[in-house]
Amino acid sequence: MAAIPLFQNFLFTSPHKKSNSPILSIQSRSLSVRCNSNEAPATKQRRPAEENIREEARRHATSLGTSCHGFSAKYVPFNAPPSSTEVYSLDEVVYRSRSGSLLDVEHDLSALKKFDAPYWKSLFDSRVGKTTWPYGSGVWSKKEWVLPEIDSDHIVSLFEGNSNLFWAERFGKEVLSMNDLWVKHCGISHTGSFKDLGMTVLISQVNRLRKLNRPIIGVGCASTGDTSAALSAYCAAAGIPAIVFLPADRITIAQLVQPIANGAFVLSLDTDFDGCMRLIREVTAELPIYLANSLNSLRLEGQKTAAIEILQQFDWEVPDWVIVPGGNLGNIYAFYKGFHMCKELGLVDSIPRLVCAQAANANPLYLYYKNGWENFSPIRANTTFASAIQIGDPVSIDRAVYALQNSNGIVEEATEEELMDAMAEADLTGMFICPHTGVALAALAKLRKSGVIKPTDRTVVVSTAHGLKFTQAKTEYHSKEIDGMTCKFANPPVNVKADFGSVMDVLRKKLALV
C-alpha cells in the first residue's frame, strides 16, 4: 500500500438512563466503603497547597485504615477445572501455568459479594469525573475489581478510560437503518488507543514489584503500534525502562514516533508481529524484562473496565450486542470478563452477545469459527490497513473462543475494501475512526443485511484507536489510487484558480445551482 500524495505541500510516508440505586446509609457499611476505597470522608476539606493528590490519598488511607476490606485476586490457569489447586500470587512473575496454558486473574467473589449491587453501582458512579487519586481514572475507579491489594501509592495512572460512548445517529439511521447504534470510543485516551486501559494495570504492578526489590530491569513488548505507545508512555511516567520490538516498515509513522518520543528503546525488526512476539518471549525468558503483551493477564483486568463503563453509561442497562475488532484476541475476552463480572455480582441480569470482527487478511479466528471450532490453525497474516490486528497466530485464541461460546457470540470478517469503505462512510457522518473500527462497522453491516442484528437492537461498536493515528490510510483512500479498490466514498480536494469567477463556477456546479 504505497503512499499516494493527496494534499499538496504535505509529505506522507507509508508503512506499507440515571441509576435509582440508593447509596447505603448504614454507618458501618459507609465506613467500609471508605475503608475499601481509601476515599476521604464526604466532609473533607481542600488539601493543603503543599500536598499533592497522591500524598493526600496516602494520608487518608493512613487515617482510615485499609486492612478491613478483605478483597484479593490471584493468578489461576485459564478455564481450569474446579478441582485445580494451582494458584500464583500477583507478585510472582509468571505468564503461563505449569502445563503451558494461559493464566487468568481470579477475584475473591465471595468477598466482593458481601456488598450488594446498589453498593457497587453507587461507589463506581460516585467516582466518575473526580480527581481523587487514583479514582479519576476509568480503570482505577473500579480498583476493587482490578487490583484490590495494590497500594494506591504504587499506581501509575494518566487518568485513562472514562471514554466517550456516543450515539451514532446519522450512520445508524442512514446507512444501517438502526435507531440505537452507539460507538464506544476507546481511542479517546492518553495515547490514542484502548491499550492504555490494560497498561496502567500492568505498569502499576511492575512499579509495585520494583519497590519490593524484585529484579525487573525493564518492561518489553512486541507491537504493531498501539501497545508500544501505551507501554512507553506509562513506563516514562513511572521512570521504568521500556523495550519495544516493532516489525520494520509495517506501522504508521504516528505509531512509531510515540514510543520514540517517550524514550523507549525501540528495535525495528525485519519480521511481522508474530515474529516479534516469538522473539520478545524468548528474550523475557532469559533477561529480567517483564513481558507486557496480552499473554500477560494483568492487562485484561484493565481492559475489562471498558465493559463496565458501557453499562454505567447506559445506566446499568445491558445492550443487545457489542462488536469488538480482534487481532491478538485478548480484548474480546476482556469485554466478556467485565460484563460477566457485573452479572456475577448482580449489577445486571444478563450480558450482551459479543461479535469479534476480523480483517479478512488476518482472520484465523473467523476461519476457526466457520469450521465449527474444530482444528484451529495459525495463518500467515497478509497486509491489511487494520495493521494493529494483522496477527495470524493470536496468543489469546482460547480466551476468545471461551468468551464467544459463553456469550452466544459470532465472528465476522471484512475485506480491505469493506473496511475502508466503512471507515470512510462513518467519517462522512462526522466520525473520524481508525481502520480497525472500520472492520467492526463492516461486520455490523453484514450482520444487519443478514438480519442477525435487528433495526431496534441496541448495539455498541468498540472503536479501539484514534483516527489521527491512521491519516495515511485515509489519505490513500481519498486519493482513489489504492490498487484494486474503487474508494467509492473518496472526497479529494478540488484544485481551483484563486479568483472569484473560478471559485463561483465550482461552487455552483457542486451545489447544483446551474
Side-chain angles (χ1 to χ4, degrees), residues 20 22 89 92 96 107 161 177 211 219 300 337 346 391 404 470 480 490:
N20 294 320
S89 166
E92 293 185 61
R96 288 193 179 271
H107 290 261
S177 299
K211 292 180 184 300
V219 188
L300 307 185
K337 191 171 186 183
I391 298 169
L404 291 161
F470 301 91
K480 298 189 73 171

Side-chain angles (χ1 to χ4, degrees), residues 411-424:
V411 187
E412 188 53 88
E413 66 173 359
T415 67
E416 292 302 289
E417 186 156 15
E418 288 169 340
L419 74 89
M420 292 296 283
D421 280 346
M423 178 181 72

Side-chain angles (χ1 to χ4, degrees), residues 10 19 115 127 157 159 188 196 221 224 239 246 280 295 342 351 360 425 442 504:
F10 284 83
S19 173
F115 300 86
R127 292 169 173 172
S157 173
F159 279 25
I188 301 179
D196 295 350
C221 76
T224 48
L246 295 175
I280 194 68
L295 173 65
C342 286
I351 67 172
E425 195 168 18
M504 288 298 291

Side-chain angles (χ1 to χ4, degrees), residues 321-327 329 332 353-360 362-373 376 389 394 397 399-405 407-414 439-440 442-444 446-447 450 452-453:
W321 299 88
V322 174
I323 305 175
V324 186
L329 303 180
I332 190 74
R353 292 186 67 181
L354 298 178
V355 177
C356 187
Q358 292 207 292
N363 62 350
L365 180 67
Y366 176 77
L367 297 175
Y368 193 24
Y369 170 76
K370 296 299 285 186
N371 200 38
W373 301 124
F376 173 75
I389 58 176
I397 181 67
R399 291 169 173 153
V401 173
Y402 182 90
L404 291 161
Q405 290 180 336
S407 65
N408 192 20
I410 294 172
V411 187
E412 188 53 88
E413 66 173 359
V439 174
L444 170 58
K446 289 183 174 183
L447 294 171
S450 66
V452 173
I453 295 181

Side-chain angles (χ1 to χ4, degrees), residues 302-382:
Q303 290 166 208
K304 77 183 183 187
T305 62
I308 305 170
E309 276 187 16
I310 288 172
L311 296 176
Q312 279 186 285
Q313 289 166 313
F314 283 135
D315 297 326
W316 303 100
E317 293 181 353
V318 181
D320 299 298
W321 299 88
V322 174
I323 305 175
V324 186
N328 220 14
L329 303 180
N331 212 22
I332 190 74
Y333 176 66
F335 272 84
Y336 169 78
K337 191 171 186 183
F339 289 129
H340 185 257
M341 197 166 182
C342 286
K343 183 174 182 290
E344 281 285 290
L345 291 168
L347 281 70
V348 295
D349 57 9
S350 64
I351 67 172
R353 292 186 67 181
L354 298 178
V355 177
C356 187
Q358 292 207 292
N361 281 0
N363 62 350
L365 180 67
Y366 176 77
L367 297 175
Y368 193 24
Y369 170 76
K370 296 299 285 186
N371 200 38
W373 301 124
E374 293 183 2
N375 304 317
F376 173 75
S377 296
I379 65 169
R380 183 172 181 82
N382 293 315

